[in-house]
Amino acid sequence: FPSHDKMNISLDKTKATSANSNALIADLGFRPASNGFSFENYGKDSNIKNLSPVEIQRMFGNQVCATSGDNCILTPPAQQWMKEVNKSMNGGHCEGMAALSMILYADKDKVSGFGNTPDLSLQGNEKLQREIAYWFATQYTQPTANREIKDKTPSELLDILLSTLKPNAPIEQTYTMGIYQDGFKGGHAITPYGVEDLGNGNYAVMVYDNNHPKIERKVEIDRNTNTWKYYAATNPDEPESTYIGDADTKTLTLTPTPPRYERQTLYRDWE
């Protein structure tokens, strides 16, 4: 990576940060304390339910069912896929939490089925558990996966957010953000909702990080060097480290929400 000397934005690793209304130049209105989940990102838990045949049928349609009628018994390939995706959630459910928190904020039809987001409990709430798993799984399917914006520089991604993060913006103007270590390792999904202009070409993208309930966090972007920086981990049980990238790494991405709503397909056929 190039020198990050110019990236002089301070990020306190222990205390909550707060959006500065004077510096906000883009603001969706989402706030972690009032619109994020009150529980933190989680991995393997014997008390938590993930995908079931109901979610697989909802995602792909009747082609994944070996039986007809309301009770879908999955075909062997679909059953195996569900098993593999559920196993992948052992390392964390960040993608599902990042996507669903924004959906519950921007899509009022979804809210009516769940209630006020920060009041939702994970334990004992199988409906919510399976819903988080559903949106998590969309990262592996089409058209969601191939709509991930992963060929842009930090400055170009910043421009996208500046043009779309506006008060009461429709679901079509919302995203999840992917951050990766060098070599696309240690991936983590967070939820961008605002941008602060800190002057001298420095910006802070305000994000809800599901590893840190109720806390406002900031992804630092420096237009001068076209670089980004964030202090993160894949899940709360892992030690945090500094994630950094530049115009060449393409380790900062955005995934628009609308493709997640479409009927999903896989790279290969089920047969």
Side-chain angles (χ1 to χ4, degrees):
F1 295 105
S3 170
H4 285 67
D5 293 342
K6 292 185 179 180
M7 296 189 69
N8 54 11
I9 308 171
S10 173
L11 180 64
D12 192 315
K13 301 171 185 176
T14 59
K15 298 180 181 179
T17 57
S18 180
N20 182 342
S21 59
N22 294 327
L24 275 171
I25 57 174
D27 185 7
L28 192 63
F30 182 109
R31 292 295 183 271
S34 55
N35 306 113
F37 294 108
S38 60
F39 51 87
E40 66 182 20
N41 183 22
Y42 56 98
K44 186 177 182 180
D45 186 328
S46 60
N47 296 317
I48 300 295
K49 302 296 184 182
N50 288 317
L51 296 173
S52 74
V54 173
E55 285 74 49
I56 302 303
Q57 184 181 22
R58 169 185 164 192
M59 184 172 291
F60 298 107
N62 293 332
Q63 62 168 326
V64 298
C65 302
T67 57
S68 58
D70 295 334
N71 186 23
C72 175
I73 298 177
L74 296 178
T75 64
Q79 180 70 30
Q80 180 61 29
W81 187 85
M82 181 181 74
K83 180 180 178 180
E84 292 173 358
V85 174
N86 281 341
K87 183 178 180 181
S88 75
M89 297 182 209
N90 289 346
H93 290 70
C94 61
E95 185 84 18
M97 294 181 69
L100 182 57
S101 59
M102 182 56 72
I103 288 169
L104 291 179
Y105 174 75
D107 187 339
K108 305 312 178 189
D109 291 337
K110 291 289 183 183
V111 175
S112 64
F114 287 90
N116 192 24
T117 307
D119 297 333
L120 296 178
S121 172
L122 181 67
Q123 296 297 330
N125 192 342
E126 184 175 328
K127 180 180 180 181
L128 178 62
Q129 296 166 8
R130 288 163 56 177
E131 192 72 10
I132 289 172
Y134 177 90
W135 297 104
F136 174 98
T138 58
Q139 68 181 299
Y140 300 128
T141 59
Q142 305 296 4
T144 305
N146 64 11
R147 301 275 182 87
E148 182 181 14
I149 304 170
K150 53 187 178 181
D151 60 346
K152 305 292 186 184
T153 69
S155 289
E156 289 171 335
L157 294 176
L158 177 63
D159 288 335
I160 292 174
L161 295 177
L162 287 172
S163 66
T164 56
L165 297 183
K166 303 180 185 301
N168 301 313
I171 196 71
E172 289 79 14
Q173 293 177 211
T174 63
Y175 300 86
T176 55
M177 176 176 279
I179 58 172
Y180 302 89
Q181 295 276 25
D182 190 22
F184 292 90
K185 299 175 182 177
H188 183 46
I190 53 183
T191 310
Y193 59 85
V195 179
E196 289 183 344
D197 184 349
L198 303 182
N200 300 318
N202 291 310
Y203 295 82
V205 177
M206 307 300 298
V207 299
Y208 158 55
D209 186 331
N210 43 79
N211 287 343
H212 303 276
K214 300 182 181 296
I215 297 176
E216 294 186 345
R217 307 264 289 184
K218 304 179 182 183
V219 175
E220 308 167 12
I221 295 181
D222 185 343
R223 283 200 190 273
N224 303 301
T225 54
N226 213 351
T227 52
W228 70 274
K229 181 168 66 172
Y230 186 65
Y231 197 74
T234 55
N235 65 68
D237 295 327
E238 297 293 328
E240 289 197 322
S241 59
T242 302
Y243 283 53
I244 55 176
D246 58 30
D248 297 321
T249 62
K250 305 299 191 294
T251 47
L252 186 68
T253 72
L254 292 174
T255 299
T257 304
R260 299 184 192 269
Y261 276 63
E262 298 180 29
R263 176 58 55 85
Q264 302 294 299
T265 62
L266 292 178
Y267 292 103
R268 56 175 174 76
D269 292 333
W270 288 107
E271 310 306 331

